[in-house]
Amino acid sequence: SQTIHQWPATLVQPVGSPLSLECTVEGTSNPNLYWYRQAAGRGLQLLFYSVGIGQISSEVPQNLSASRPQDRQFILSSKKLLLSDSGFYLCAWSDGLAGINEQFFGPGTRLTVL
Amino acid sequence: AQSVTQLGSHVSVSEGALVLLRCNYSSSVPPYLFWYVQYPNQGLQLLLKYTSAATLVKGINGFEAEFKKSETSFHLTKPSAHMSDAAEYFCAVSSGGGADGLTFGKGTHLIIQP
C-alpha cells in the first residue's frame, strides 16, 4: 500500500530564516505531487505541483519554491521566511495514470513564523 | 474552469440528528467529485468520491453523497451524527484532465452538539 510522509510535523522559525519541508511517498512510482498551504480558518491553497523529477509548476507567485530531486520526494523551500508564511502545509500525491486526480494527503507540517 | 461552493462555513447539529453539508460545483466537462474530512492538525482523508458510476455514493463512517447533474450538486449526508464526526469537511472537483489537481471548496466546519 502507499504511504506519504511529511517532516517535520511542527516547526517554529524566525522571520528571515530559511525553510525546508520534505515529503516522501512510498509504494508507488511516478506520482503527481502537490504542496498546499492552509492558513488559519481558511481553505486549501495549491502552491506547487509536479508531474515528474525536476518538473515544477507554480500556482501562486510567492516567497516559496519547490523541488523534486527524486521520483517520490518533494521539497518546499524558502530562503527568507515571512510572517505570512505561517500555516499548515500539506503534501499530497495522485496517480497520474488514473486520470481522476484523486489525491492522498500527508499528515501535514504546522509552520509558525515569529 | 471549475469551481466549488460550500454553503455554510459552520454547520451545527445535535448528536443523532441528520447531517447535511452542501456542495455545488461548476465544471465545463463531466466532473469527478470528492468529499474529504480533516480532523484538527491532521491531513485530509477521503470520505467518498463520484467517478461517473452510481450517482449515490457511499463512503466511510456512514456518510453518503448524491450526484445531481441538474442541480450541479454533490451534498454530503449522514443519517445520525456522532460526536466523532466533528471536523472540517471539504468538497472538491476535478475535470480529470491535467495534473493541476483538485479545486477545493472553502470547507465546512461541522459542530456536533451533545
Side-chain angles (χ1 to χ4, degrees):
Chain A
S1 64
Q2 301 87 6
T3 55
I4 179 169
H5 304 279
Q6 287 185 246
W7 62 87
T10 60
L11 191 59
V12 180
Q13 292 285 90
V15 169
S17 64
L19 173 73
S20 181
L21 303 182
E22 189 166 343
C23 170
T24 58
V25 181
E26 296 177 356
T28 187
S29 296
N30 197 30
N32 292 337
L33 295 171
Y34 306 86
W35 278 113
Y36 290 87
R37 176 168 59 200
Q38 195 174 22
R42 302 178 70 175
L44 285 86
Q45 179 186 33
L46 178 63
L47 301 176
F48 303 94
Y49 69 92
S50 171
V51 299
I53 295 174
Q55 301 179 63
I56 309 294
S57 295
S58 174
E59 290 293 298
V60 182
Q62 59 215 324
N63 185 42
L64 303 169
S65 62
S67 62
R68 184 170 177 174
Q70 300 181 44
D71 181 46
R72 289 167 289 178
Q73 184 185 32
F74 205 24
I75 296 172
L76 183 70
S77 303
S78 173
K79 292 182 179 179
K80 289 186 178 181
L81 283 168
L82 306 172
L83 286 174
S84 58
D85 292 323
S86 292
F88 193 51
Y89 288 81
L90 289 161
C91 181
W93 73 272
S94 70
D95 180 350
L97 296 178
I100 68 170
N101 282 326
E102 177 180 355
Q103 293 186 15
F104 303 90
F105 285 81
T109 295
R110 173 74 58 191
L111 172 65
T112 303
V113 183
L114 301 175
Chain B
Q2 55 196 27
S3 66
V4 174
T5 301
Q6 291 185 238
L7 293 176
S9 60
H10 291 76
V11 171
S12 180
V13 301
S14 299
E15 190 175 16
L18 171 71
V19 175
L20 171 61
L21 303 183
R22 299 178 186 275
C23 172
N24 290 89
Y25 70 91
S26 68
S27 176
S28 58
V29 299
Y32 300 110
L33 294 158
F34 306 85
W35 275 101
Y36 286 87
V37 61
Q38 184 181 32
Y39 299 101
N41 291 311
Q42 295 186 25
L44 277 69
Q45 179 183 7
L46 182 69
L47 273 178
L48 49 81
K49 61 185 177 186
Y50 167 76
T51 58
S52 73
T55 56
L56 182 61
V57 181
K58 294 186 184 298
I60 62 172
N61 301 339
F63 284 93
E64 63 181 36
E66 185 172 9
F67 172 69
K68 292 187 176 181
K69 183 178 179 180
S70 61
E71 299 177 7
T72 61
S73 69
F74 190 56
H75 301 331
L76 182 70
T77 60
K78 182 175 181 178
S80 177
H82 295 165
M83 295 301 291
S84 60
D85 295 326
E88 191 84 14
Y89 291 80
F90 292 94
C91 182
V93 63
S94 166
S95 62
D100 55 337
L102 303 175
T103 299
F104 284 89
K106 294 186 182 299
T108 297
H109 185 59
L110 178 62
I111 301 162
I112 311 296
Q113 303 283 1

